[in-house]
Amino acid sequence: MKFTDVFLQTATKIQVFIIMTFSIYILFAGHHNPGGGFIGGLITASALVLLYIAFDLQSVRDILPVNFNQLAAAGVIVAVLTGTASLLFDVHFLTQTFTYVNLPLLGKTELASAVIFDLGVYMTVVGTTMTIITSISEDEK
Amino acid sequence: MFDTIMLLAMFLLTISVVIALYRVIKGPSMHDRILALDSIGYNIIGVVALLSVMLDSHAYLETILLIGILAFLSTIALSKYMEGGVVIGRKRDD
């Protein structure tokens, strides 16, 4: 069956960028505003699901060669390493800190170590969700 | 006065949701139900926007974008299923 979704594919090419930008914004706004790693990962996964729906499994795997199993594992490793890194400074496990840095383009910026933990949560959520969805969709009937 | 207008607008949106819900339950074909669920999602966006104006808060603005994304995605997925019987195709047919 030859079935071309020209409207859907053209709309997807624009919308995936908007949804990805929104998810990165949600990920980094999570320190002071609603948001964070979990919901940012879910929005990124929804952008990828939109790509998978508009195109197909083989095309998206060609343009985005990411092993989502390994992405989830790397996220857990990042989250654990930020916890153990606090032991090097002789404080308790998972102690978070923040500092103010004068960056050249952004001015006075607050850099928190909780962002790296959030990044681990983000990678884990994206990897787990996409592993579930792709393994269901490539299941033989 | 202002809160009364906001509550009236939310009441009208709720009536619209109830009418669309009638179409979801009663609708003769599956396509009617898909479109009714889509319109319920966009009415909920309006309710959340009015709620954030009433509570004078910026905290719900991300929710509005998120419901828009999810309503679009679910409608696309259901329509793709109705059209070809599969949501995510295995390989391209060229």
Side-chain angles (χ1 to χ4, degrees):
Chain A
M1 187 192 68
K2 184 70 177 163
F3 178 71
T4 53
D5 328 279
V6 180
F7 288 112
L8 178 58
Q9 290 181 356
T10 311
T12 300
K13 282 170 193 167
I14 302 168
Q15 280 178 349
V16 162
F17 282 102
I18 300 173
I19 301 175
M20 281 288 190
T21 313
F22 180 55
S23 79
I24 299 295
Y25 164 72
I26 284 284
L27 170 64
F28 287 116
H31 200 61
H32 291 295
N33 292 316
F38 187 77
I39 187 68
L42 284 181
I43 295 171
T44 305
S46 72
L48 293 177
V49 166
L50 185 60
L51 266 183
Y52 274 112
I53 289 175
F55 299 95
D56 48 56
L57 218 54
Q58 192 64 48
S59 311
V60 180
R61 202 163 275 165
D62 285 345
I63 62 171
L64 201 72
V66 178
N67 189 344
F68 291 110
N69 286 317
Q70 292 173 2
L71 188 68
V76 173
I77 288 172
V78 166
V80 170
L81 282 183
T82 54
T84 48
S86 65
L87 293 178
L88 295 177
F89 300 98
D90 203 16
V91 286
H92 288 119
F93 183 64
L94 277 178
T95 304
Q96 309 288 344
T97 181
F98 66 97
T99 182
Y100 288 97
V101 177
N102 270 312
L103 291 180
L105 205 59
L106 299 171
K108 187 181 176 191
T109 312
E110 180 184 359
L111 291 182
S113 68
V115 172
I116 306 173
F117 184 78
D118 242 5
L119 210 63
V121 175
Y122 173 84
M123 287 159 68
T124 309
V125 169
V126 172
T128 310
T129 315
M130 295 317 292
T131 303
I132 292 171
I133 289 173
T134 53
S135 60
I136 285 174
S137 62
E138 69 191 359
D139 190 20
E140 297 284 339
K141 59 182 143 188
Chain B
M1 182 62 196
F2 184 70
D3 274 359
T4 313
I5 295 172
M6 286 292 152
L7 281 175
L8 184 66
M10 282 171 84
F11 179 68
L12 291 176
L13 280 173
T14 312
I15 289 177
S16 167
V17 169
V18 169
I19 293 172
L21 204 60
Y22 170 76
R23 186 47 69 193
V24 170
I25 297 167
K26 180 82 175 174
S29 71
M30 201 67 196
H31 304 87
D32 294 324
R33 294 194 173 97
I34 294 172
L35 275 183
L37 280 176
D38 198 32
S39 90
I40 284 177
Y42 295 121
N43 276 314
I44 287 174
I45 291 178
V47 172
V48 174
L50 287 174
L51 193 72
S52 76
V53 172
M54 273 183 73
L55 296 180
D56 197 13
S57 156
H58 289 289
Y60 299 107
L61 298 184
E62 285 92 358
T63 316
I64 295 171
L65 270 171
L66 191 58
I67 298 174
I69 291 169
L70 290 182
F72 175 74
L73 193 65
S74 57
T75 309
I76 291 294
L78 281 170
S79 310
K80 190 91 186 290
Y81 178 69
M82 293 304 294
E83 189 71 35
V86 62
V87 178
I88 299 177
R90 187 108 12 100
K91 55 170 65 95
R92 67 175 85 92
D93 45 351
D94 53 0

